[in-house]
Amino acid sequence: MRAPQNDALYLADEDHAVLRRIPLPVDVSTPPTAIPMPGRPAQVLALDDRVLVTIRDPGLLLVLRPDATAGLVEVARVPLPADAWGLAITPDERTAIVTSAWTGKVSAVDLTTATRSWSVDVPREPRGVVVREDGAAAYMTHLTSAALTRIELRSPPQARPVALPPSPYRAPVGAPRAASLGYAAALSPDGRRLFVARHALGAIGGQAWFGAATVDVLRAGDDEPLAPRRREGAPMRVVGDFALQIEGDPELEAPQSELAPFVQPRAIVYRESTRTLLVASEGSDALVELDALSVEPTLRPLRTYPLGSSPPAGAAPGSLDALARRVGVATLCGAPSGVALSGDESLAWVYCRSTDTLAIVRLDEHRAGVTYEQGPVPFIRLAEPPLAEQAAIGRRLFYNATDWPTSGGLGCAGCHPDGRDDGHVWHEVSGDGFANFFGSADNRPMEGLAGGVPRQTPVLAGRVSAEGPYGWNAQSERLAERILEGFGLHRWGMGAARDGDLRLRASHLASFLREGLVPPPRENRPLTAEEKHGFALFTSEAAQCSRCHVPETEYTDRMGYPMPRFAELPGFYREKKGTVYKTPSLRFIAGTAPYYHDGSARTLEELVEKNDDRMGRTSHMSRKDRAALVAFLRTL
């Protein structure tokens, strides 16, 4: 979402496949104009004379021109790698930089000629992108890793990883942490600091089975993190049930909330007039203001603007709002996912994805730790839900982290962004009525906890059409049963409650997972000679791959099989002998590394090379045959 320096606010509405034009000043009684797009728009950037929009599938960059009569007129559309998502522009406004999430590409588009100049490969799920003020380099975040990518914007372009440890003040000493949900980044006006909003897996905090949200800061001059790592013997301050150690800046404080002032960060903007940051908290339905001058801004929350107020109690019986109220997600602004500032920075417009609304937030002078009580936030109803009633309620639940019985403090979208996966291997602990996940990096358990069996986050989008079974061990007969089991895993030892309201929530979520999640893009083209050879190997009696990975049923027979014990992973419990594992679907497997239930294979090549005939028969294959098999798997 972006407001240009003229008379309109533009909003990319992915769920309705339209670009919305909202006249300024915003009038809640005036409906916005909906401009159909050739696919689902992801990001919009409004300049004085042009509006740029990324389209996910097919991958496109649209160049539009404001028109007094038509509103917007298409000037050009530039084909890009599939799943075009993030968007930034060089200071001279001649080149657009676009990230393509699923295909792991970054492209440059010459806006003068409306042609793609180049594309380069980068790690999984590149999302947010910013360009340095000198135009020499771009930085991008990733949905599934802590490292950033820096690309030198020259010919030829050069990409390299940049380390940015997540929330170093809340990481156990000597234990690096992973990160996820890297949707967004922002540069300070002078270009010296890069702010990255994301989730720090395994960060210490009260009841932090999943870690904590964070904004980490990179010095854009030398690509070094602003906050130093903690050292042994650092001063200690206790927060909740876990020890939080802090060193360095004596003004740093522990978070002034149990975990962090926001959950599932989705968007971030810099407010220059106050030198603060505004973060859209997708999971807690809030806009949070942080001190941009802090070494670790998340530890110094300044103000919280609650957006998720409930509709009037008199909502019509049977209406969507009344039904949503029953399951605890009756909000006027659910899943904030975009933020734009007015020219004088006194207003923030917040796009609320799961409720199809636009909230209008008047920004106040900030005082540390204050929750802003401004009364009901004005909002515009942009559209009706694009889904049937049950799925529409499930959509609200999917992003929500405030309904504790279902989320335990982290919404479904916290581990399954876009219905995909966070690229993480979790520690699953269960027994004697206790069941939960907790997070770490490099297969290390959190301080004070041990073991758990390794379970990687699976992709949901495009993989849940069958009735069942579900779960890595094929333990749940139906999808709703698996969701109920997930509620128990997320409730920090409270077990899997089965009361009627939770069953109702699970049913709504199951509907959304099947009807509302959009599968990743897949190129529809004839197979190459190598891929055809791989298909022949895959379906051959010698390899036996298709016996379990049945092509007609999403490349799985949905059965559970005992497998030989895998190598023991450091920090995890050893799997019980005879444990049954469900045949996973191979759909979209090229974009779901790591592999196996425990994430022990980092690449498809490694999976096939080290299979040792645990799955099918591959040990007899030549190197050329194995390469062909991998090439075919990448097409699924």
Side-chain angles (χ1 to χ4, degrees):
M1 186 167 64
R2 180 68 179 264
Q5 300 299 315
N6 52 29
D7 60 349
L9 173 71
Y10 293 94
L11 188 155
D13 185 341
E14 179 178 333
D15 296 317
H16 293 83
V18 300
L19 181 68
R20 301 194 184 278
R21 183 182 186 278
I22 303 165
L24 295 176
V26 175
D27 181 355
V28 296
S29 64
T30 303
T33 302
I35 303 164
M37 294 285 104
R40 296 178 298 124
Q43 301 275 295
V44 57
L45 181 61
L47 308 173
D48 288 336
D49 59 343
R50 289 164 292 176
V51 176
L52 310 180
V53 185
T54 53
I55 304 295
R56 302 193 71 169
D57 190 12
L60 297 170
L61 176 67
L62 294 188
V63 183
L64 308 170
R65 175 175 53 80
D67 181 87
T69 303
L72 284 175
V73 175
E74 182 177 320
V75 176
R77 61 174 63 185
V78 183
L80 293 171
D83 209 16
W85 202 90
L87 175 62
I89 194 168
T90 54
D92 60 11
E93 298 189 357
R94 293 182 179 180
T95 304
I97 307 299
V98 180
T99 64
S100 292
W102 184 254
T103 46
K105 305 276 189 182
V106 176
S107 306
V109 174
D110 184 330
L111 295 175
T112 304
T113 60
T115 57
R116 176 168 42 144
S117 302
W118 48 258
S119 293
V120 295
D121 293 322
V122 296
R124 279 192 65 189
E125 292 281 359
R127 293 295 180 128
V129 56
V130 297
V131 177
R132 250 178 30 187
E133 63 170 1
D134 60 6
Y139 296 91
M140 56 223 57
T141 63
H142 296 270
L143 212 60
T144 55
S145 64
L148 311 179
T149 296
R150 170 175 166 155
I151 294 184
E152 304 297 329
L153 302 180
R154 60 192 183 196
S155 183
Q158 294 184 347
R160 64 177 177 85
V162 174
L164 183 60
S167 196
Y169 286 105
R170 288 179 289 180
V173 174
R177 293 294 158 191
S180 61
L181 302 183
Y183 281 108
L187 276 169
S188 60
D190 61 9
R192 296 173 62 185
R193 291 188 179 190
L194 173 67
F195 303 93
V196 180
R198 54 191 179 166
H199 185 81
L201 289 153
I204 298 173
Q207 299 176 321
W209 62 268
F210 47 76
T214 181
V215 171
D216 297 304
V217 188
L218 185 78
R219 297 198 306 257
D222 57 10
D223 289 353
E224 288 294 324
L226 185 64
R229 293 182 183 272
R230 288 192 304 108
R231 298 186 298 271
E232 293 285 357
M236 179 179 291
R237 177 171 178 171
V238 174
V239 178
D241 297 328
F242 296 94
L244 174 64
Q245 298 178 355
I246 295 176
E247 68 163 333
D249 186 341
E251 294 186 359
L252 278 172
E253 299 176 1
Q256 297 182 26
S257 59
E258 283 191 347
L259 292 174
F262 52 88
V263 180
Q264 297 157 225
R266 194 61 174 74
I268 183 171
V269 295
Y270 192 100
R271 190 183 179 196
E272 187 174 359
S273 60
T274 55
R275 293 188 292 187
T276 57
L277 302 165
L278 292 168
V279 179
S281 179
E282 176 188 75
S284 59
D285 302 337
L287 184 68
V288 178
E289 194 161 15
L290 309 172
D291 182 0
L293 301 183
S294 175
V295 175
E296 191 169 351
T298 316
L299 301 184
R300 298 296 300 273
L302 299 173
R303 188 177 289 283
T304 299
Y305 301 87
L307 306 176
S309 55
S310 296
S319 68
L320 183 64
D321 281 339
L323 294 171
R325 176 188 289 276
R326 179 180 173 186
V327 298
V329 288
T331 59
L332 295 179
C333 176
S337 59
V339 183
L341 288 173
S342 62
D344 62 3
E345 297 189 334
S346 65
L347 290 177
W349 297 293
V350 183
Y351 172 45
C352 310
R353 181 176 183 178
S354 71
T355 50
D356 302 298
T357 54
L358 178 73
I360 305 167
V361 183
R362 183 165 297 280
L363 302 174
D364 197 17
E365 292 297 324
H366 50 274
R367 296 194 303 267
V370 174
T371 296
Y372 186 33
E373 300 294 343
Q374 66 168 5
V377 175
F379 72 97
I380 297 175
R381 180 76 66 183
L382 299 171
E384 293 303 312
L387 301 165
E389 188 176 86
Q390 270 209 339
I393 295 174
R395 178 180 176 224
R396 298 192 189 187
L397 284 164
F398 182 78
Y399 299 100
N400 188 272
T402 64
D403 183 50
W404 192 262
T406 61
S407 71
L410 189 70
C412 306
C415 296
H416 300 281
D418 272 352
R420 300 177 184 179
D421 69 292
D422 57 11
H424 188 61
V425 178
W426 295 84
H427 298 247
E428 181 180 336
V429 182
S430 61
D432 298 326
F434 176 87
N436 70 278
F437 284 125
F438 59 92
S440 67
D442 301 325
N443 294 333
R444 303 184 188 186
M446 285 172 56
E447 285 184 354
L449 297 175
V453 293
R455 293 290 181 265
Q456 67 144 302
T457 305
V459 169
L460 301 178
R463 286 186 173 182
V464 292
S465 62
E467 182 176 355
Y470 289 96
W472 276 111
N473 305 118
Q475 68 270 37
S476 302
E477 291 186 8
R478 294 176 177 81
L479 181 58
E481 289 296 319
R482 176 60 189 147
I483 293 170
L484 273 174
E485 183 179 9
F487 293 167
L489 288 169
H490 299 169
R491 294 173 74 216
W492 197 239
M494 297 175 66
R498 305 279 171 162
D499 62 73
D501 280 346
L502 284 184
R503 289 186 178 277
L504 184 64
R505 289 170 168 87
S507 175
H508 292 327
L509 274 167
S511 295
F512 173 70
L513 298 187
R514 288 180 169 135
E515 300 172 29
L517 294 180
V518 178
R522 179 181 176 274
E523 188 177 7
N524 187 15
R525 59 169 177 79
L527 298 181
T528 66
E530 182 183 39
E531 292 162 353
K532 287 179 179 177
H533 180 50
F535 173 73
L537 292 168
F538 183 85
T539 55
S540 69
E541 278 301 309
Q544 301 179 7
C545 303
S546 60
R547 283 191 180 183
C548 298
H549 295 286
V550 181
E552 293 77 15
T553 53
E554 298 177 352
Y555 287 88
T556 171
D557 62 2
R558 304 189 176 103
M559 300 289 289
Y561 298 96
M563 294 183 68
R565 282 193 175 185
F566 284 55
E568 187 173 354
L569 296 177
F572 289 100
Y573 292 148
R574 189 173 179 83
E575 301 276 1
K576 293 181 180 179
K577 187 177 181 179
T579 297
V580 170
Y581 300 98
K582 177 190 168 185
T583 305
S585 171
L586 298 184
R587 290 195 70 194
F588 317 115
I589 191 172
T592 63
Y595 302 104
Y596 292 124
H597 62 281
D598 60 2
S600 56
R602 309 305 299 179
T603 65
L604 281 174
E605 287 81 1
E606 181 182 348
L607 183 149
V608 173
E609 180 70 27
K610 299 180 180 180
N611 177 40
D612 297 327
D613 292 342
R614 287 181 294 191
M615 305 179 302
R617 300 288 182 265
T618 56
S619 59
H620 67 285
M621 292 184 182
S622 66
R623 179 174 298 178
K624 181 179 179 181
D625 284 349
R626 291 175 183 177
L629 180 58
V630 169
F632 168 68
L633 292 175
R634 292 191 184 281
T635 70
L636 298 180

